[in-house]
Short mmCIF file of all heavy atoms in Angstrom, two decimals:
data_model
loop_
_atom_site.label_atom_id
_atom_site.label_comp_id
_atom_site.label_asym_id
_atom_site.label_seq_id
_atom_site.Cartn_x
_atom_site.Cartn_y
_atom_site.Cartn_z
N HIS A 491 -59.45 -139.78 -79.67
CA HIS A 491 -60.29 -140.42 -80.68
C HIS A 491 -60.43 -139.55 -81.94
O HIS A 491 -61.34 -139.76 -82.74
CB HIS A 491 -61.67 -140.74 -80.11
CG HIS A 491 -61.62 -141.81 -79.05
ND1 HIS A 491 -61.49 -143.14 -79.34
CD2 HIS A 491 -61.64 -141.71 -77.71
CE1 HIS A 491 -61.45 -143.84 -78.21
NE2 HIS A 491 -61.54 -142.99 -77.20
N ASP A 519 -65.98 -145.43 -73.50
CA ASP A 519 -65.55 -144.68 -74.68
C ASP A 519 -66.70 -144.53 -75.66
O ASP A 519 -66.89 -143.47 -76.26
CB ASP A 519 -64.40 -145.41 -75.38
CG ASP A 519 -63.19 -145.55 -74.49
OD1 ASP A 519 -62.91 -144.59 -73.74
OD2 ASP A 519 -62.53 -146.60 -74.53
N ALA A 520 -67.46 -145.62 -75.83
CA ALA A 520 -68.57 -145.58 -76.78
C ALA A 520 -69.61 -144.53 -76.35
O ALA A 520 -70.19 -143.84 -77.18
CB ALA A 520 -69.21 -146.96 -76.90
N LEU A 523 -68.22 -141.07 -77.24
CA LEU A 523 -68.25 -140.80 -78.68
C LEU A 523 -69.68 -140.62 -79.19
O LEU A 523 -69.92 -139.82 -80.09
CB LEU A 523 -67.51 -141.90 -79.43
CG LEU A 523 -66.04 -142.06 -78.98
CD1 LEU A 523 -65.33 -143.11 -79.80
CD2 LEU A 523 -65.28 -140.73 -79.05
N VAL A 537 -70.98 -149.36 -89.09
CA VAL A 537 -70.24 -150.24 -90.00
C VAL A 537 -70.88 -151.63 -89.97
O VAL A 537 -70.91 -152.34 -90.96
CB VAL A 537 -68.78 -150.35 -89.52
CG1 VAL A 537 -68.01 -151.39 -90.33
CG2 VAL A 537 -68.09 -149.00 -89.61
N HIS A 562 -70.13 -153.41 -93.49
CA HIS A 562 -69.96 -152.55 -94.67
C HIS A 562 -71.00 -152.91 -95.73
O HIS A 562 -70.66 -153.05 -96.92
CB HIS A 562 -68.54 -152.71 -95.25
CG HIS A 562 -67.47 -152.18 -94.35
ND1 HIS A 562 -67.47 -150.90 -93.86
CD2 HIS A 562 -66.38 -152.79 -93.82
CE1 HIS A 562 -66.42 -150.73 -93.09
NE2 HIS A 562 -65.74 -151.86 -93.04
N VAL A 587 -66.11 -160.47 -88.25
CA VAL A 587 -65.34 -159.31 -88.70
C VAL A 587 -63.88 -159.67 -88.95
O VAL A 587 -63.07 -158.80 -89.25
CB VAL A 587 -65.42 -158.14 -87.68
CG1 VAL A 587 -66.86 -157.67 -87.53
CG2 VAL A 587 -64.85 -158.53 -86.33
N VAL A 590 -62.11 -158.23 -91.88
CA VAL A 590 -61.88 -156.78 -91.87
C VAL A 590 -60.81 -156.41 -90.84
O VAL A 590 -59.96 -155.56 -91.10
CB VAL A 590 -63.20 -156.03 -91.52
CG1 VAL A 590 -63.04 -154.54 -91.76
CG2 VAL A 590 -64.36 -156.61 -92.30
N ALA A 591 -60.88 -157.04 -89.67
CA ALA A 591 -59.94 -156.65 -88.62
C ALA A 591 -59.87 -157.73 -87.56
O ALA A 591 -60.82 -158.47 -87.36
CB ALA A 591 -60.42 -155.35 -87.96
N GLU A 592 -58.71 -157.78 -86.88
CA GLU A 592 -58.61 -158.70 -85.76
C GLU A 592 -58.95 -157.93 -84.49
O GLU A 592 -58.21 -157.06 -84.04
CB GLU A 592 -57.21 -159.28 -85.67
CG GLU A 592 -57.25 -160.64 -84.96
CD GLU A 592 -56.02 -160.93 -84.13
OE1 GLU A 592 -54.92 -160.67 -84.63
OE2 GLU A 592 -56.21 -161.42 -82.99
N ILE A 593 -60.12 -158.24 -83.95
CA ILE A 593 -60.55 -157.55 -82.73
C ILE A 593 -60.46 -158.52 -81.56
O ILE A 593 -60.94 -159.64 -81.64
CB ILE A 593 -61.98 -157.00 -82.90
CG1 ILE A 593 -61.95 -155.90 -83.97
CG2 ILE A 593 -62.53 -156.48 -81.58
CD1 ILE A 593 -63.25 -155.21 -84.20
N ARG A 594 -59.81 -158.07 -80.51
CA ARG A 594 -59.65 -158.94 -79.33
C ARG A 594 -60.47 -158.44 -78.16
O ARG A 594 -60.62 -157.23 -77.97
CB ARG A 594 -58.17 -158.97 -78.90
CG ARG A 594 -57.31 -159.72 -79.86
CD ARG A 594 -55.86 -159.68 -79.46
NE ARG A 594 -55.72 -159.78 -77.99
CZ ARG A 594 -54.55 -159.99 -77.38
NH1 ARG A 594 -53.47 -160.12 -78.09
NH2 ARG A 594 -54.48 -160.05 -76.07
N LEU A 595 -61.00 -159.39 -77.40
CA LEU A 595 -61.72 -159.03 -76.18
C LEU A 595 -60.70 -159.01 -75.05
O LEU A 595 -60.11 -160.02 -74.71
CB LEU A 595 -62.80 -160.08 -75.90
CG LEU A 595 -63.61 -159.86 -74.62
CD1 LEU A 595 -64.51 -158.64 -74.73
CD2 LEU A 595 -64.44 -161.09 -74.29
N GLU A 596 -60.47 -157.81 -74.47
CA GLU A 596 -59.46 -157.68 -73.43
C GLU A 596 -60.06 -157.86 -72.05
O GLU A 596 -59.40 -158.29 -71.12
CB GLU A 596 -58.79 -156.29 -73.50
CG GLU A 596 -58.11 -155.99 -74.82
CD GLU A 596 -56.83 -156.79 -75.01
OE1 GLU A 596 -56.34 -157.37 -74.03
OE2 GLU A 596 -56.34 -156.85 -76.16
N VAL A 615 -67.47 -154.15 -71.87
CA VAL A 615 -66.36 -154.87 -72.49
C VAL A 615 -65.25 -153.90 -72.88
O VAL A 615 -65.49 -152.71 -73.06
CB VAL A 615 -66.80 -155.64 -73.77
CG1 VAL A 615 -67.78 -156.74 -73.44
CG2 VAL A 615 -67.34 -154.70 -74.83
N LYS A 616 -64.05 -154.46 -72.93
CA LYS A 616 -62.92 -153.69 -73.42
C LYS A 616 -62.41 -154.45 -74.64
O LYS A 616 -62.03 -155.61 -74.54
CB LYS A 616 -61.84 -153.61 -72.34
CG LYS A 616 -60.76 -152.59 -72.62
CD LYS A 616 -59.58 -152.81 -71.71
CE LYS A 616 -59.73 -152.13 -70.35
NZ LYS A 616 -58.55 -152.40 -69.49
N LEU A 617 -62.44 -153.81 -75.80
CA LEU A 617 -61.99 -154.46 -77.03
C LEU A 617 -60.74 -153.75 -77.53
O LEU A 617 -60.55 -152.57 -77.27
CB LEU A 617 -63.07 -154.36 -78.11
CG LEU A 617 -64.43 -154.99 -77.80
CD1 LEU A 617 -65.41 -154.64 -78.91
CD2 LEU A 617 -64.32 -156.49 -77.64
N SER A 618 -59.91 -154.51 -78.26
CA SER A 618 -58.74 -153.85 -78.83
C SER A 618 -58.52 -154.28 -80.27
O SER A 618 -58.90 -155.39 -80.68
CB SER A 618 -57.50 -154.14 -78.01
OG SER A 618 -57.08 -155.47 -78.23
N LYS A 619 -57.96 -153.36 -81.02
CA LYS A 619 -57.58 -153.64 -82.40
C LYS A 619 -56.26 -152.92 -82.64
O LYS A 619 -56.19 -151.69 -82.47
CB LYS A 619 -58.65 -153.13 -83.36
CG LYS A 619 -58.29 -153.30 -84.84
CD LYS A 619 -59.49 -153.04 -85.74
CE LYS A 619 -59.66 -151.63 -86.24
NZ LYS A 619 -58.57 -150.95 -86.86
N ASP A 620 -55.22 -153.64 -82.99
CA ASP A 620 -53.89 -153.06 -83.22
C ASP A 620 -53.47 -152.12 -82.09
O ASP A 620 -52.98 -151.01 -82.34
CB ASP A 620 -53.84 -152.28 -84.55
CG ASP A 620 -54.39 -153.10 -85.71
OD1 ASP A 620 -54.17 -154.32 -85.70
OD2 ASP A 620 -55.06 -152.51 -86.60
N GLY A 621 -53.71 -152.53 -80.86
CA GLY A 621 -53.28 -151.71 -79.73
C GLY A 621 -54.25 -150.62 -79.33
O GLY A 621 -54.12 -150.01 -78.28
N LYS A 622 -55.22 -150.33 -80.18
CA LYS A 622 -56.20 -149.30 -79.85
C LYS A 622 -57.29 -149.96 -78.99
O LYS A 622 -57.79 -151.02 -79.31
CB LYS A 622 -56.79 -148.77 -81.15
CG LYS A 622 -57.98 -147.87 -80.94
CD LYS A 622 -57.72 -146.48 -81.49
CE LYS A 622 -58.86 -145.57 -81.11
NZ LYS A 622 -58.42 -144.28 -80.66
N ILE A 623 -57.62 -149.30 -77.88
CA ILE A 623 -58.56 -149.91 -76.94
C ILE A 623 -59.84 -149.09 -76.85
O ILE A 623 -59.80 -147.85 -76.88
CB ILE A 623 -57.91 -150.03 -75.55
CG1 ILE A 623 -56.89 -151.17 -75.58
CG2 ILE A 623 -58.95 -150.30 -74.46
CD1 ILE A 623 -56.18 -151.43 -74.30
N ILE A 624 -60.96 -149.77 -76.76
CA ILE A 624 -62.22 -149.06 -76.60
C ILE A 624 -63.09 -149.81 -75.60
O ILE A 624 -63.10 -151.04 -75.55
CB ILE A 624 -62.92 -148.90 -77.97
CG1 ILE A 624 -63.89 -147.72 -77.92
CG2 ILE A 624 -63.66 -150.16 -78.40
CD1 ILE A 624 -63.82 -146.87 -79.15
N THR A 625 -63.78 -149.05 -74.74
CA THR A 625 -64.73 -149.67 -73.82
C THR A 625 -66.14 -149.35 -74.30
O THR A 625 -66.39 -148.28 -74.85
CB THR A 625 -64.56 -149.13 -72.39
OG1 THR A 625 -64.64 -147.71 -72.42
CG2 THR A 625 -63.24 -149.56 -71.79
N SER A 626 -67.05 -150.31 -74.10
CA SER A 626 -68.43 -150.07 -74.48
C SER A 626 -69.34 -150.90 -73.59
O SER A 626 -68.87 -151.79 -72.88
CB SER A 626 -68.65 -150.43 -75.96
OG SER A 626 -68.26 -151.76 -76.20
N VAL A 641 -70.51 -155.72 -77.37
CA VAL A 641 -69.42 -156.02 -78.32
C VAL A 641 -69.67 -155.33 -79.66
O VAL A 641 -68.75 -154.77 -80.26
CB VAL A 641 -69.27 -157.55 -78.49
CG1 VAL A 641 -68.32 -157.88 -79.64
CG2 VAL A 641 -68.76 -158.17 -77.19
N ILE A 642 -70.92 -155.35 -80.13
CA ILE A 642 -71.21 -154.69 -81.41
C ILE A 642 -70.95 -153.18 -81.32
O ILE A 642 -70.36 -152.59 -82.23
CB ILE A 642 -72.65 -155.00 -81.88
CG1 ILE A 642 -72.71 -156.48 -82.31
CG2 ILE A 642 -73.08 -154.08 -83.02
CD1 ILE A 642 -74.01 -156.93 -82.91
N ALA A 643 -71.36 -152.57 -80.19
CA ALA A 643 -71.11 -151.13 -80.02
C ALA A 643 -69.62 -150.84 -80.09
O ALA A 643 -69.18 -149.89 -80.75
CB ALA A 643 -71.70 -150.65 -78.69
N GLY A 644 -68.83 -151.65 -79.41
CA GLY A 644 -67.38 -151.44 -79.40
C GLY A 644 -66.76 -151.69 -80.77
O GLY A 644 -65.92 -150.92 -81.25
N MET A 645 -67.20 -152.77 -81.42
CA MET A 645 -66.66 -153.10 -82.75
C MET A 645 -66.97 -151.99 -83.74
O MET A 645 -66.13 -151.61 -84.56
CB MET A 645 -67.26 -154.41 -83.26
CG MET A 645 -66.64 -155.65 -82.63
SD MET A 645 -67.39 -157.15 -83.30
CE MET A 645 -66.22 -158.38 -82.71
N ASN A 646 -68.17 -151.48 -83.65
CA ASN A 646 -68.56 -150.38 -84.54
C ASN A 646 -67.61 -149.21 -84.40
O ASN A 646 -67.19 -148.61 -85.38
CB ASN A 646 -69.99 -149.93 -84.22
CG ASN A 646 -70.97 -150.42 -85.27
OD1 ASN A 646 -70.63 -150.47 -86.46
ND2 ASN A 646 -72.15 -150.81 -84.85
N ARG A 647 -67.27 -148.89 -83.16
CA ARG A 647 -66.36 -147.78 -82.93
C ARG A 647 -64.97 -148.07 -83.49
O ARG A 647 -64.36 -147.25 -84.16
CB ARG A 647 -66.26 -147.47 -81.44
CG ARG A 647 -67.45 -146.70 -80.91
CD ARG A 647 -67.49 -145.32 -81.51
NE ARG A 647 -68.80 -144.69 -81.29
CZ ARG A 647 -69.14 -143.51 -81.81
NH1 ARG A 647 -68.30 -142.86 -82.60
NH2 ARG A 647 -70.32 -143.01 -81.59
N LEU A 648 -64.48 -149.27 -83.21
CA LEU A 648 -63.13 -149.61 -83.65
C LEU A 648 -63.03 -149.67 -85.17
O LEU A 648 -62.05 -149.25 -85.76
CB LEU A 648 -62.69 -150.95 -83.06
CG LEU A 648 -62.24 -150.94 -81.61
CD1 LEU A 648 -61.98 -152.35 -81.11
CD2 LEU A 648 -60.98 -150.10 -81.43
N LEU A 649 -64.07 -150.19 -85.82
CA LEU A 649 -64.02 -150.34 -87.28
C LEU A 649 -64.25 -149.02 -87.97
O LEU A 649 -63.71 -148.76 -89.03
CB LEU A 649 -65.07 -151.37 -87.74
CG LEU A 649 -64.80 -152.80 -87.25
CD1 LEU A 649 -65.94 -153.71 -87.65
CD2 LEU A 649 -63.48 -153.30 -87.84
N ARG A 650 -65.06 -148.18 -87.34
CA ARG A 650 -65.37 -146.89 -87.94
C ARG A 650 -64.14 -146.00 -88.00
O ARG A 650 -63.91 -145.30 -88.96
CB ARG A 650 -66.43 -146.22 -87.07
CG ARG A 650 -67.04 -145.02 -87.68
CD ARG A 650 -68.01 -144.43 -86.71
NE ARG A 650 -69.25 -145.18 -86.68
CZ ARG A 650 -70.22 -144.96 -85.80
NH1 ARG A 650 -70.05 -144.04 -84.86
NH2 ARG A 650 -71.33 -145.62 -85.84
N GLU A 651 -63.34 -146.09 -86.92
CA GLU A 651 -62.19 -145.20 -86.81
C GLU A 651 -61.34 -145.15 -88.08
O GLU A 651 -60.92 -144.09 -88.50
CB GLU A 651 -61.30 -145.64 -85.65
CG GLU A 651 -62.05 -145.77 -84.35
CD GLU A 651 -61.80 -144.61 -83.41
OE1 GLU A 651 -60.65 -144.22 -83.30
OE2 GLU A 651 -62.76 -144.09 -82.82
N GLU A 652 -61.09 -146.31 -88.67
CA GLU A 652 -60.12 -146.29 -89.75
C GLU A 652 -60.67 -145.75 -91.07
O GLU A 652 -59.92 -145.44 -91.97
CB GLU A 652 -59.56 -147.69 -89.98
CG GLU A 652 -60.57 -148.69 -90.45
CD GLU A 652 -59.95 -150.09 -90.41
OE1 GLU A 652 -59.25 -150.40 -89.43
OE2 GLU A 652 -60.16 -150.83 -91.37
N HIS A 653 -62.01 -145.63 -91.16
CA HIS A 653 -62.57 -145.17 -92.43
C HIS A 653 -62.91 -143.69 -92.41
O HIS A 653 -63.45 -143.17 -93.34
CB HIS A 653 -63.84 -145.97 -92.75
CG HIS A 653 -63.53 -147.40 -92.99
ND1 HIS A 653 -62.97 -147.85 -94.15
CD2 HIS A 653 -63.68 -148.48 -92.18
CE1 HIS A 653 -62.78 -149.15 -94.06
NE2 HIS A 653 -63.20 -149.56 -92.88
N GLU A 654 -62.60 -143.06 -91.31
CA GLU A 654 -63.02 -141.66 -91.21
C GLU A 654 -61.87 -140.75 -90.83
O GLU A 654 -60.94 -141.16 -90.16
CB GLU A 654 -64.11 -141.53 -90.14
CG GLU A 654 -65.40 -142.12 -90.60
CD GLU A 654 -66.39 -142.19 -89.47
OE1 GLU A 654 -66.00 -141.92 -88.33
OE2 GLU A 654 -67.53 -142.51 -89.75
N ARG A 656 -61.85 -137.51 -88.82
CA ARG A 656 -62.72 -136.58 -88.09
C ARG A 656 -62.23 -135.15 -88.08
O ARG A 656 -62.95 -134.23 -87.76
CB ARG A 656 -62.92 -137.06 -86.66
CG ARG A 656 -64.21 -137.77 -86.44
CD ARG A 656 -64.14 -138.54 -85.15
NE ARG A 656 -63.01 -139.44 -85.18
CZ ARG A 656 -63.07 -140.64 -85.72
NH1 ARG A 656 -64.19 -141.09 -86.22
NH2 ARG A 656 -62.01 -141.41 -85.75
#
Side-chain angles (χ1 to χ4, degrees):
H491 292 282
D519 299 322
L523 302 183
V537 173
H562 293 305
V587 298
V590 191
E592 205 214 316
I593 293 183
R594 289 177 38 168
L595 178 69
E596 301 288 347
V615 296
K616 193 194 275 179
L617 300 173
S618 74
K619 176 169 91 51
D620 310 324
K622 170 120 187 136
I623 286 181
I624 202 137
T625 54
S626 56
V641 170
I642 289 185
M645 282 180 167
N646 255 323
R647 283 294 165 186
L648 282 174
L649 294 175
R650 191 183 283 173
E651 306 257 316
E652 65 189 42
H653 295 284
E654 288 171 352
R656 260 163 304 275

